[in-house]
Amino acid sequence: MGDCESVAPQLEGEENLIAAAKHIVRALGSNKNLTKDVKKILADLGSQLSTMATIDDEGVEGLKSGIEEHLSVVEEKIMSWETDESMIWDSSPDEAFEYLSAVDEARKLIQGLENRCLNGEDEKELLRRAHDVLQLAMQRLEEEFKYLLVQHRQPFEPEHMSFRSSEDDGVDVGLMVSFGDESFEESARRDSVSRTSEECIIDLVHPDVIHDLKCIANSMFMSNYDHECRQAYVIVRKDALDECLFDLEIEKFSIEDVLKMEWGTLNSKIKRWVRAMKVFVRRYLASEKWLCDQIFSELGLANFVCFVEAAKAPMLQLLNFAEAISIGPHQPEKLVRFLDMYEVLADLLLDIDALFPDEAGSSVKVEYHEVLKRLADSVRATLVEFKNAVATNTSTNPFAGGGIHHLTRYVMNYLRLLVDYKDTLNLLLKNDRSVPVLLSPDSSPSTEDESTSNDFSGGVSAMTLHLQSLTSILEANLHEKSKLYRDASLQHFFLMNNIHYMAQKVKNSELRVIFGDKWIRKHNWKFQQHAMDYERATWSTILSFLKDESNSSNSSISRTLLKERLRSFYVAFEEVYRTQTAWLIPDVQLREDLRISTSLKVIQAYRTFVGRQMYHIGEKHIRYNAEEMQDYLLDLFEGSQKSLHNPHRR
């Protein structure tokens, strides 16, 4: 049995050749000048051509019969599986090969019949039958294609990504508390994902069936059922991508759902989104693109179209969440999460441009760039909100004990976190006019000490300016809070504590690179100045009672006056003890330094006074010896109020 594609055109060509030859013979025979011999030859030739035409007509009838027989064989093979509920590719490789061969024969029969001039009803009926057979075969191949994709799907296991163990839907306490809580630092630390775990192509479908899938796709495309093939692929793989998001614990939320969420819950969702985004794009989408390339690589742009159609909805789901975050309120506690989301999208930008390069993927790419821009705007807007929140944070009562205010801890820990985002913040804040920069005189750009915080152009970096602006705003606020204390010594004590905390936070962290040594020296000088002002305000009047106003032991000052001055000293000292044991210096070193400095002044003056005036005063009026006084001074600044109860008190 001959091949339909080659036999039919061959017979048609022979018919045309015979007709042309007969025409030539008739034209030559009409010439009256021909000899009898030539006319006889032409007559014989015409007779032979007529005989050949008759034989050809018989050949055509034979060809029709052959095509019908061929079609019946193909039809029988394809129809045999219509009553069989089992899957062809589960039976045997030989069965699958034979079925594809039958499909190929059906396609060739249709092409051969369509290339002929179909005048008779018999030929048209053959063509209709062939089309019906091919359509049944395509429906079966579509089912087999889906079956192989589903049945041989490989489980997706995001290694090194312990989402459930580290990220329950519990509340992130540090970010839920009121503005100014010191616990912000630990709870808001940025999350990181191993890049090694992100960039690994995995087999989403078992490699053993890739060849079978490719053969089915090629057959469907060659039979002009490419749309059905692509649709089948997209339906199955979109479900797989949705399941991947489920495995990564990414839920589907509307923008309204996100905007209504409590911050503690939303914070947990954002951290999970950040971790999942890299894995989904770099591992899963890259692997999905690889799968498309393997199956559709020989079919033009089909690989790209199938990938985009399958990946579009899951990607837009992820971007929809980010968009909802960006248009929500810009509270200060959200800044780190905004930065996390911005950085992960910026980091994946080249991946997205590579995965969605052409017009078919433009909607995903355009939305991606738009969300990235909105998150950048959110970062800048949140910085403005943060500065405003620091500037307008007011108190109606003085901070108990003169210790480190919650606002100071919050702001400095906040700034420490921002160091991790130095490059991103410099990029987003550079040439940005929307965030006002308010600098104190000591925070102006300077010299070699701050060279580490300079950018490549030699100027102070945008981030340095903004963080120094924040500390200037914080200091101004602390000065206002200090005015709530009626006691001048407690005002200086409060400022000493808080500025010392700021200086130490900068000195002992990565902030040192941003602020520079000059800023640290300036603030060390500031808190030391407040420490001296505290000592002066607390002890100057008290120590004046012990002032030696004579040049010899034969002072003309009356004994009564000396006793009164000593008694006044004791009363003042005991009041300081009662009051300032309740004051708090959290930093151990600063507490010891201030105790030593105070002790040197007080004990020296006390020893000198008692040593010179003991004769005039009398031992019974001495309540405490120098060692006791020194021990009492060591009780100061512990944050626990105490009182002196001396049995010898007069």
Side-chain angles (χ1 to χ4, degrees), residues 24-43:
I24 292 171
V25 169
R26 284 195 298 269
L28 290 173
S30 64
N31 192 335
K32 298 179 179 180
N33 296 324
L34 296 177
T35 63
K36 290 182 178 180
D37 291 338
V38 173
K39 288 181 178 180
K40 185 177 184 305
I41 292 170
L42 289 174

Side-chain angles (χ1 to χ4, degrees), residues 536-570:
R536 189 177 300 110
T538 299
W539 297 104
S540 292
T541 302
I542 297 174
L543 293 180
S544 67
F545 294 124
L546 304 179
K547 188 176 181 181
D548 187 359
E549 297 179 351
S550 66
N551 295 322
S552 68
S553 59
N554 297 321
S555 173
S556 59
I557 300 176
S558 69
R559 293 182 178 183
T560 302
L561 181 57
L562 287 173
K563 292 176 184 178
E564 181 61 26
R565 285 171 56 187
L566 183 59
R567 189 188 69 80
S568 298
F569 169 80
Y570 286 139

Side-chain angles (χ1 to χ4, degrees), residues 244-518:
C244 169
L245 290 182
F246 178 80
D247 290 340
L248 294 171
E249 300 182 26
I250 297 299
E251 303 167 71
K252 186 175 290 187
F253 297 111
S254 67
I255 290 178
E256 291 74 18
D257 292 336
V258 174
L259 294 177
K260 291 177 183 177
M261 280 186 191
E262 293 291 331
W263 171 239
T265 301
L266 186 58
N267 178 50
S268 177
K269 304 293 183 191
I270 293 174
K271 290 197 283 187
R272 192 169 296 156
W273 181 93
V274 168
R275 291 178 176 180
M277 192 71 185
K278 284 189 178 183
V279 175
F280 185 73
V281 172
R282 285 216 171 107
R283 287 200 75 186
Y284 208 93
L285 286 191
S287 299
E288 185 68 38
K289 185 68 167 63
W290 168 241
L291 177 62
C292 284
D293 290 344
Q294 287 179 292
I295 296 174
F296 300 106
S297 59
E298 299 174 1
L299 302 173
L301 295 176
N303 59 332
F304 177 69
V305 173
C306 287
F307 168 75
V308 170
E309 289 302 312
K312 183 176 179 180
M315 271 303 302
L316 291 179
Q317 177 186 336
L318 288 165
L319 294 175
N320 187 63
F321 178 80
E323 180 184 5
I325 297 298
S326 70
I327 65 179
H330 298 135
Q331 289 108 330
E333 64 267 23
K334 293 184 179 180
L335 179 57
V336 168
R337 295 296 164 241
F338 284 142
L339 285 164
D340 285 336
M341 296 182 80
Y342 176 86
E343 284 195 344
V344 75
L345 289 184
D347 186 41
L348 293 171
L349 192 56
L350 293 179
D351 300 81
I352 294 298
D353 287 345
L355 289 169
F356 303 94
D358 297 322
E359 186 176 349
S362 62
S363 60
V364 174
K365 190 161 60 174
V366 168
E367 180 65 15
Y368 192 95
H369 283 261
E370 181 62 27
V371 170
L372 185 64
K373 179 180 179 298
R374 287 180 180 176
L375 285 171
D377 292 340
S378 295
V379 169
R380 288 186 281 262
T382 306
L383 273 174
V384 173
E385 288 296 320
F386 184 48
K387 287 188 176 185
N388 290 338
V390 174
T392 58
N393 181 268
T394 57
S395 303
T396 56
N397 298 310
F399 190 70
I404 300 166
H405 199 278
H406 295 319
L407 179 65
T408 308
R409 293 183 185 275
Y410 185 93
V411 171
M412 296 310 297
N413 288 328
Y414 197 101
L415 299 190
R416 279 189 62 185
L417 286 174
L418 296 186
V419 175
D420 288 342
Y421 304 91
K422 178 176 65 175
D423 294 338
T424 298
L425 284 170
N426 276 327
L427 176 67
L428 295 180
L429 298 176
K430 189 174 183 180
N431 301 323
D432 178 58
R433 304 298 181 188
S434 65
V435 186
V437 179
L438 305 175
L439 296 177
S440 61
D442 61 277
S443 62
S444 58
S446 70
T447 78
E448 316 170 343
D449 292 332
E450 297 181 356
S451 60
T452 51
S453 66
N454 292 351
D455 62 21
F456 65 92
S457 64
V460 176
S461 70
M463 182 179 177
T464 296
L465 292 176
H466 283 275
L467 296 198
Q468 289 183 349
S469 169
L470 268 166
T471 56
S472 296
I473 293 170
L474 173 61
E475 284 184 62
N477 188 295
L478 291 172
H479 275 279
E480 289 301 311
K481 290 185 185 328
S482 72
K483 295 176 184 178
L484 296 172
Y485 298 106
R486 295 181 179 180
D487 187 343
S489 62
L490 188 51
Q491 292 180 6
H492 293 296
F493 185 86
F494 172 77
L495 290 171
M496 172 200 70
N497 261 327
N498 284 269
I499 295 176
H500 174 267
Y501 180 85
M502 292 170 65
Q504 290 300 110
K505 272 291 181 183
V506 172
K507 179 182 176 182
N508 298 324
S509 72
E510 301 85 350
L511 285 170
R512 183 169 194 156
V513 177
I514 304 298
F515 282 82
D517 291 338
K518 182 180 178 181

Side-chain angles (χ1 to χ4, degrees), residues 92-291:
S92 71
D94 290 340
E95 283 290 343
F97 176 77
E98 289 176 11
Y99 192 87
L100 283 177
S101 297
V103 172
D104 191 46
E105 290 299 318
R107 180 180 57 79
K108 289 180 179 178
L109 280 170
I110 291 172
Q111 289 177 347
L113 288 168
E114 288 179 342
N115 286 334
R116 291 177 58 82
C117 295
L118 301 179
N119 297 318
E121 285 300 319
D122 291 343
E123 290 180 322
K124 291 179 180 179
E125 178 60 27
L126 284 175
L127 183 59
R128 281 194 293 270
R129 277 181 60 194
H131 273 299
D132 290 343
V133 169
L134 186 64
Q135 184 176 6
L136 282 173
M138 290 298 107
Q139 291 172 353
R140 183 58 185 240
L141 286 182
E142 184 178 341
E143 291 177 11
E144 297 281 340
F145 191 67
K146 288 181 179 178
Y147 175 78
L148 289 176
L149 284 171
V150 172
Q151 194 68 18
H152 297 277
R153 212 179 105 192
Q154 299 277 76
F156 174 67
E157 298 176 357
E159 294 89 348
H160 315 299
M161 299 294 295
S162 180
F163 289 98
R164 229 173 269 281
S165 62
S166 62
E167 286 301 327
D168 294 328
D169 284 333
V171 173
D172 188 18
V173 178
L175 292 176
M176 285 282 293
V177 295
S178 60
F179 179 77
D181 192 278
E182 60 191 278
S183 60
F184 176 84
E185 177 183 16
E186 294 303 320
S187 61
R189 290 197 183 280
R190 69 188 302 179
D191 296 305
S192 61
V193 179
S194 168
R195 194 172 178 91
T196 303
S197 69
E198 300 159 12
E199 301 177 333
C200 177
I201 298 295
I202 56 177
D203 291 314
L204 300 177
V205 173
H206 200 286
D208 289 349
V209 299
I210 295 296
H211 176 73
D212 296 329
L213 289 166
K214 186 174 181 179
C215 288
I216 294 174
N218 286 346
S219 181
M220 293 185 73
F221 270 68
M222 291 176 69
S223 303
N224 295 322
Y225 280 78
D226 49 311
H227 173 74
E228 288 77 3
C229 184
R230 288 196 301 267
Q231 189 176 44
Y233 180 89
V234 169
I235 290 172
V236 174
R237 293 309 306 164
K238 183 181 177 300
D239 287 344
L241 288 168
D242 287 340
E243 190 170 326
C244 169
L245 290 182
F246 178 80
D247 290 340
L248 294 171
E249 300 182 26
I250 297 299
E251 303 167 71
K252 186 175 290 187
F253 297 111
S254 67
I255 290 178
E256 291 74 18
D257 292 336
V258 174
L259 294 177
K260 291 177 183 177
M261 280 186 191
E262 293 291 331
W263 171 239
T265 301
L266 186 58
N267 178 50
S268 177
K269 304 293 183 191
I270 293 174
K271 290 197 283 187
R272 192 169 296 156
W273 181 93
V274 168
R275 291 178 176 180
M277 192 71 185
K278 284 189 178 183
V279 175
F280 185 73
V281 172
R282 285 216 171 107
R283 287 200 75 186
Y284 208 93
L285 286 191
S287 299
E288 185 68 38
K289 185 68 167 63
W290 168 241
L291 177 62

